[in-house]
Amino acid sequence: MENQVVSREEWLEARRALLLKEKEATHLRDKVNAERMALPWVKIEKNYVFDTPEGKRNLAELFDGRSQLLIYHFMLGPDWDAGCPGCSFLSDHVDGTLPHLNNHDVTWVAVSRAPLAKIEAYKKRMGWKFPWASSFDNSFNFDFHVSFSPEDMAKDTVFYNFEAIEPANAHDELPGLSAFYRNENGEIFHTYSTYARGLEEAVGTLMILDRAPKGRNEDSTMDFVKRHDEYEDAPKTHSCH
């Protein structure tokens, strides 16, 4: 169904009315951002050790000398053949941000439960450059409620996105983003996490589609998304150069 067609003057009146709401949303976003930065912190007491291409690294070393760390909880389980299409969609947007994030004292690292060899193979397939570590040998994913054991999935509920949900609405791996701060004494604090649709603002393509005439043009959340090498006109391989 096509939208109503009107005169330029009528369109301008409708656009100005929408602009007022867009400004309200922008001001609300500013307020939410301020409240996010004012959240209390939780000190990290566990010594998480990850597998990385550079060898074993603890959480402090993932900061790579910076004071702020963003960890993307990428859905790639130990027995998965490929990464989640939605996580892959988000991750397609990351490499171009890295120089800007790093210059702003922020390190971005993806973390998955898959063994490092499986991570490296999928990363090569996708042509990505961002750091990606394996939490296969620690409880990091479980502690941050993005991985669930068979025993968890057999319970009445699992804890995801700060609430109890039915396992039928969950998965053994789910997405999220967690933020950490490391002070001058080397203490590490968990400052923020977001899950589910809270991740959408990190996906620039969605923000652009929201301005297109048909918007996201979806029947369910991101049902149009494929891995970028699975679209019909996508190149079949990526050069390593």
Side-chain angles (χ1 to χ4, degrees):
M1 181 177 179
E2 294 186 357
N3 292 45
Q4 182 183 8
V5 177
V6 299
S7 67
R8 174 61 61 179
E9 290 74 19
E10 290 174 295
W11 180 88
L12 186 58
E13 181 180 355
R15 180 63 188 93
R16 283 173 171 163
L18 177 60
L19 179 59
L20 292 177
K21 294 182 179 180
E22 288 178 334
K23 288 183 176 181
E24 288 177 6
T26 298
H27 295 153
L28 178 59
R29 183 183 65 199
D30 292 342
K31 181 180 179 181
V32 169
N33 285 343
E35 292 184 13
R36 180 184 295 117
M37 287 188 291
L39 278 174
W41 296 352
V42 178
K43 187 176 180 180
I44 299 295
E45 303 289 356
K46 282 190 178 182
N47 181 32
Y48 297 107
V49 177
F50 303 85
D51 288 320
T52 79
E54 294 74 37
K56 298 286 186 180
R57 281 191 156 192
N58 61 27
L59 186 60
E61 291 171 313
L62 293 188
F63 280 77
D64 199 23
R66 302 180 182 90
S67 71
Q68 301 167 85
L69 173 65
L70 294 175
I71 289 185
Y72 181 63
H73 304 288
F74 193 112
M75 295 170 63
L76 180 55
D79 57 348
W80 290 31
D81 294 326
C84 160
C87 289
S88 301
F89 185 40
L90 183 150
S91 297
D92 282 337
H93 297 77
V94 173
D95 281 351
T97 72
L98 293 180
H100 307 287
L101 291 175
N102 294 167
N103 185 65
H104 213 55
D105 192 34
V106 176
T107 297
W108 175 285
V109 178
V111 170
S112 301
R113 286 195 63 238
L116 185 62
K118 184 169 287 189
I119 288 173
E120 288 290 286
Y122 188 64
K123 181 179 177 181
K124 181 179 179 181
R125 169 186 164 183
M126 294 288 100
W128 294 326
K129 303 299 182 185
F130 57 80
W132 196 345
S134 170
S135 60
F136 181 76
D137 290 324
N138 66 45
S139 63
F140 183 79
N141 279 45
F142 298 102
D143 293 345
F144 284 86
H145 308 289
V146 291
S147 292
F148 306 95
S149 67
E151 292 75 20
D152 292 329
M153 298 296 286
K155 297 177 182 178
D156 292 337
T157 62
V158 295
F159 190 75
Y160 180 67
N161 201 17
F162 311 108
E163 63 181 356
I165 63 174
E166 295 181 2
N169 298 322
H171 205 286
D172 59 334
E173 304 289 336
L174 288 172
L177 178 71
S178 294
F180 302 88
Y181 178 75
R182 185 169 184 259
N183 66 18
E184 294 181 354
N185 296 324
E187 297 171 308
I188 298 174
F189 303 89
H190 174 217
T191 66
Y192 178 74
S193 285
T194 189
Y195 305 94
R197 291 194 66 184
L199 297 162
E200 285 188 0
E201 289 189 351
V203 186
T205 299
L206 293 179
M207 303 301 105
I208 294 171
L209 285 174
D210 286 342
R211 277 89 181 152
K214 292 185 178 180
R216 301 184 188 186
N217 196 23
E218 59 189 6
D219 294 320
S220 60
T221 303
M222 297 200 309
D223 62 0
F224 60 93
V225 172
K226 297 181 181 180
R227 299 175 184 90
H228 64 239
D229 63 353
E230 294 175 341
Y231 294 113
E232 291 182 2
D233 59 349
K236 298 303 180 183
T237 60
H238 288 275
S239 170
C240 62
H241 299 290

